[in-house]
Amino acid sequence: MVDIIGKTLTTAYDPKERKASPSFNGKILHLDLSNGKMFVEEPTEKFYRTYIGGRGFILHYLLSTMPAGTDPLSPDNVLVFAPGVLSGTILPGTGRHSVGAKSPLTNALASGEAGGWWGAELKRAGFDAIVIRGRAETPVYLWIKDGAVEIRDASHLWGKLTGDAQEMIRQELGDDKIRIAQIGPAGENQVRIACILNNANRAAGRSGLGAVMGSKNLKAIAVRGSTTLGMADRNLMLTVTKWIGSNYQDLMGWAVAAGTSGSVNFCHATGATPINNFRDPVFEGVENLDATQMFPLMLKERDTCNVCPVHCKLVVEYDQPGDPRKIKAAYGGPEYETIGGMGPMCRVKDVVAVAKANELCAAYGLDTISTGGTIAFTMECVEKGLLRKDEGYDFLPEFGDGDALIESIHRIANRHGIGDLMAEGSARMGKKLGPAADDMVVVTRGQELPMHDPRYKNAYGLGYALSATGADHMANMDDTFANNPGSDVCARLRELGFETPLPLFGLPETKIKAFATELAYKNFLDSAVICHFYPYEYKHIVDALNAATGWDVTRDEIVEIGTRVIHMARLFLMREGFTSQDDRLPPRAFQAHSSGPIAGKALTPQELNAALKTYYQLMGWSPEGVPGKETVGHYGLQHF
């Protein structure tokens, strides 16, 4: 038995000796939990400028240090926590960081971004990223403070909900300002749809990252720093921060007013919201779930992230006499994705049940999108007789039952009864249930679709099919915004010479070209790491990046950085056995509704295939979707 508890590393940290740019520490922590060995890598400035941080760092380490075909739940999987070049600066919208690994849900890429303060705090503590391998023999957590690292015992934290564990760690270390990224019981139980939380309410949510952390017996990473990050040109950075400070209330009015919860009625009215496991066109009672109904009932306050003035994050609290469903403010409040997945997808119109479901997912550490999608799939299986109580189940959820929604989450997190099967995600459930369930599984690359129906948002459908993480609404282009000439998406496209607005429906070549550039921009944001909701244009990002680093980055280089990340993700997919045959949508995405706001609207398989071929060609990939030799060489990826 290798006892790693108590092992430490102390770096001689001096911000004056930064080897990269003023906004980087020039230090990346590597840790092997199997033996407790730690070392600090000091990359070159070229490394930082090539990969930027976040998703770029994640893919670099997965491709260069993890063997192909690695079991995602084995010690050989590489778990990377990575802020970006702008994390920890004064630029609004940079209160985010990325987490990545090989996904136990999809066997593809797992890469998720979380808001809050953790990423900025890690950089203030002296590190630009953490790369974790191995598996501790007993539960541990990491304590990182101003360049010093300690492995501490977490046996007393194992099994604790995220809110409780956070308070225990802060009390143990004597500092309530410590920022903590952690898993809950779902991650400990290696639920394949488990996530990683920080502040107990900000999630790196998708693809089962919590299960990877749990498989390593790593409960949490606590960070605290006192170093102020530098900037090459503070005045230039202030020009960008002053611009967003003067304009965010107009450009981000929806976020200021109600956050994403305020879009529930709008998304339903346009046909964007999936209902009844993607089967129905409308949902009676959806108005009960909108912010206008939720706020008077349970809104306590509005929260925000590091250096962000918007306060789009909800904090809800509920404690009514006679109602056992108490909701704690520590777990934040439901966003649109959660409301859509727990509400219309499951035909639940009780806003208290939906908010309670959100709280439980945060407490247990579950991805609300995949959890909602998996519960909805299970409910349909019950409806169609594929799951029955006479098969030995003591509980099975049914559509419209808010109490069953809540009970399902308890069971998934604890792998109890039907929850043990649901903990595998709907794709694995479907395979176990047989061909009768095939048309009911709504996933791409094994991951449940977000709450944006590709029958309405066709570019999202293309993005779902291509995404290296499985269905992802973030690294994508929103058709609604691309169709709105006043949106930030159209502003960026016009900077690149596109005529806007783009058509709302369909995938003509011009729209695919725009999609390719916007996808590159979003992958850059997930490397930098910047909130997608901020309406920055290229000119703002160019100024902010150069102000932070002292570089001479151009708009074209930003597109190239994001495009490089896309190529790296594609190379990772190819290496792990995926082919162009996996670039597809589920059957329901092609089944048009006969009524409702998008009646008769849906891509055909032929339209999707043609769009994929066009995209492959634009990217310099072969007709089979493989990055060509010339493309690989141009982006400096030969060594992968």
Side-chain angles (χ1 to χ4, degrees):
M1 181 174 180
V2 180
D3 185 7
I4 65 172
I5 295 171
K7 289 202 172 184
T8 61
L9 173 74
T10 302
T11 64
Y13 179 70
D14 184 350
K16 296 179 182 178
E17 297 180 357
R18 289 189 176 103
K19 294 184 178 180
S21 75
S23 65
F24 279 122
N25 297 299
K27 296 179 184 292
I28 293 177
L29 174 66
H30 290 254
L31 166 65
D32 189 333
L33 287 170
S34 294
N35 53 32
K37 291 182 178 179
M38 293 178 258
F39 70 91
V40 175
E41 177 188 7
E42 296 185 350
T44 64
E45 185 169 2
K46 180 181 178 181
F47 173 89
Y48 282 100
R49 187 159 175 172
T50 299
Y51 302 117
I52 296 295
R55 185 169 290 186
F57 280 11
I58 289 164
L59 282 161
H60 165 76
Y61 288 111
L62 291 182
L63 285 165
S64 63
T65 69
M66 188 185 76
T70 293
D71 180 343
L73 296 176
S74 76
D76 290 333
N77 199 357
V78 176
L79 178 63
V80 183
F81 290 77
V85 60
L86 294 170
S87 302
T89 68
I90 63 171
L91 183 70
T94 56
R96 299 182 70 76
H97 67 275
S98 294
V99 187
K102 184 177 179 181
S103 168
L105 179 68
T106 66
N107 287 314
L109 174 67
S111 180
E113 292 70 48
W117 293 265
W118 190 92
E121 197 72 25
L122 177 67
K123 288 184 70 176
R124 284 192 284 265
F127 297 105
D128 300 320
I130 308 172
V131 182
I132 302 169
R133 304 169 180 83
R135 174 187 291 144
E137 293 190 7
T138 59
V140 298
Y141 76 93
L142 301 185
W143 168 221
I144 301 173
K145 183 177 182 181
D146 287 329
V149 185
E150 180 185 1
I151 302 174
R152 298 178 66 98
D153 178 36
S155 299
H156 59 302
L157 303 171
W158 209 250
K160 300 296 184 183
L161 300 178
T162 58
D164 296 335
Q166 177 169 272
E167 291 309 307
M168 291 172 69
I169 292 171
R170 285 175 170 171
Q171 289 177 16
E172 185 174 302
L173 298 175
D175 187 345
D176 63 4
K177 298 295 186 182
I178 289 170
R179 305 301 181 182
I180 300 164
Q182 61 164 311
I183 55 172
E188 296 169 9
N189 293 327
Q190 296 177 36
V191 173
R192 293 183 189 268
I193 53 177
C195 66
I196 297 172
L197 275 294
N198 69 91
N199 290 86
N201 55 35
R202 307 294 207 283
R206 311 229 58 202
S207 308
L209 285 163
V212 176
M213 197 164 166
S215 74
K216 297 184 178 300
N217 271 329
L218 179 60
K219 175 67 174 178
I221 304 176
V223 297
R224 189 77 163 99
S226 60
T227 299
T228 300
L229 291 169
M231 277 185 289
D233 188 338
R234 185 176 182 84
N235 288 333
L236 181 58
M237 183 68 83
L238 285 173
T239 63
V240 184
T241 60
K242 287 178 180 177
W243 174 83
I244 195 65
S246 299
N247 292 284
Y248 79 89
Q249 294 199 39
D250 293 327
L251 296 174
M252 304 175 70
W254 62 271
V256 175
T260 61
S261 66
S263 65
V264 172
N265 283 337
F266 172 80
C267 289
H268 175 265
T270 58
T273 303
I275 300 161
N276 198 23
N277 199 27
F278 283 82
R279 285 187 293 170
D280 293 348
V282 294
F283 177 52
E284 293 184 8
V286 69
E287 64 278 0
N288 296 331
L289 305 176
D290 191 75
T292 54
Q293 298 298 314
M294 185 190 307
F295 282 17
L297 182 64
M298 62 182 69
L299 182 68
K300 180 181 180 183
E301 59 184 342
R302 301 284 293 279
D303 197 5
T304 189
C305 299
N306 186 59
V307 296
C308 177
V310 178
H311 290 79
C312 74
K313 181 74 176 173
L314 305 188
V315 178
V316 302
E317 188 173 64
Y318 183 79
D319 187 358
Q320 295 292 327
D323 193 335
R325 300 172 299 179
K326 316 298 183 187
I327 300 175
K328 297 179 180 179
Y331 294 110
E335 305 288 344
Y336 167 74
E337 295 294 330
T338 303
I339 295 169
M342 303 299 178
M345 271 285 281
C346 297
R347 272 205 331 250
V348 172
K349 54 188 174 185
D350 179 351
V351 70
V352 177
V354 169
K356 182 65 179 179
N358 174 78
E359 179 208 51
L360 289 174
C361 284
Y364 282 126
L366 285 168
D367 168 26
T368 59
I369 298 174
S370 281
T371 299
T374 299
I375 294 173
F377 167 76
T378 305
M379 288 173 167
E380 186 175 351
C381 288
V382 173
E383 176 185 278
K384 293 186 174 177
L386 299 185
L387 289 168
R388 304 185 306 276
K389 286 189 175 179
D390 61 15
E391 296 174 320
Y393 295 112
D394 63 338
F395 162 82
L396 290 172
E398 297 183 12
F399 280 116
D401 188 336
D403 291 337
L405 171 72
I406 291 168
E407 178 64 20
S408 295
I409 293 171
H410 287 299
R411 289 180 176 245
I412 291 169
N414 293 293
R415 284 188 172 271
H416 174 56
I418 187 62
D420 190 39
L421 182 58
M422 297 168 75
E424 297 292 293
S426 58
R428 282 180 171 80
M429 283 186 73
K431 287 183 179 179
K432 184 168 184 179
L433 294 172
D438 287 351
D439 287 348
M440 299 155 54
V441 177
V442 188
V443 302
T444 66
R445 225 177 293 279
Q447 179 161 269
E448 289 74 16
L449 263 62
M451 302 300 108
H452 302 268
D453 196 319
R455 287 169 288 201
Y456 172 65
K457 297 185 177 183
N458 296 166
Y460 262 34
L462 178 60
Y464 292 163
L466 285 165
S467 175
T469 62
D472 182 0
H473 65 294
M474 296 303 291
N476 218 318
M477 183 179 81
D478 193 310
D479 304 69
T480 305
F481 290 110
N483 185 245
N484 177 0
S487 72
D488 60 301
V489 174
C490 283
R492 287 192 295 271
L493 292 176
R494 286 192 293 270
E495 281 189 274
L496 296 175
F498 287 92
E499 292 186 11
T500 61
L502 298 174
L504 181 60
F505 292 101
L507 291 172
E509 184 174 353
T510 301
K511 192 172 182 180
I512 298 169
K513 288 179 178 178
F515 165 85
T517 61
E518 187 67 5
L519 196 61
Y521 178 77
K522 294 297 180 59
N523 275 271
F524 170 84
L525 292 186
D526 287 340
S527 299
V529 181
I530 306 173
C531 176
H532 289 210
F533 290 150
Y534 266 79
Y536 291 126
E537 300 170 28
Y538 283 101
K539 58 188 177 185
H540 304 121
I541 298 299
V542 167
D543 284 348
L545 198 58
N546 291 331
T549 62
W551 298 338
D552 56 354
V553 170
T554 64
R555 181 186 68 194
D556 291 343
E557 186 173 347
I558 287 175
V559 175
E560 181 159 313
I561 291 167
T563 303
R564 180 183 292 111
V565 173
I566 294 171
H567 290 313
M568 292 170 71
R570 191 69 179 185
L571 291 173
F572 181 77
L573 284 184
M574 300 294 107
R575 194 189 77 167
E576 298 303 318
F578 290 88
T579 72
S580 61
Q581 297 302 307
D582 298 298
D583 298 342
R584 59 176 184 260
L585 290 172
R588 283 201 177 151
F590 302 114
Q591 297 167 5
H593 293 308
S594 59
S595 61
I598 53 170
K601 299 289 188 181
L603 288 173
T604 66
Q606 294 75 21
E607 287 175 310
L608 177 63
N609 289 335
L612 288 167
K613 296 296 183 184
T614 299
Y615 181 80
Y616 296 163
Q617 186 175 24
L618 288 171
M619 293 297 290
W621 299 353
S622 73
E624 291 73 40
V626 180
K629 184 176 181 180
E630 184 176 340
T631 299
V632 170
H634 174 79
Y635 287 92
L637 304 176
Q638 308 91 308
H639 52 294
F640 295 136

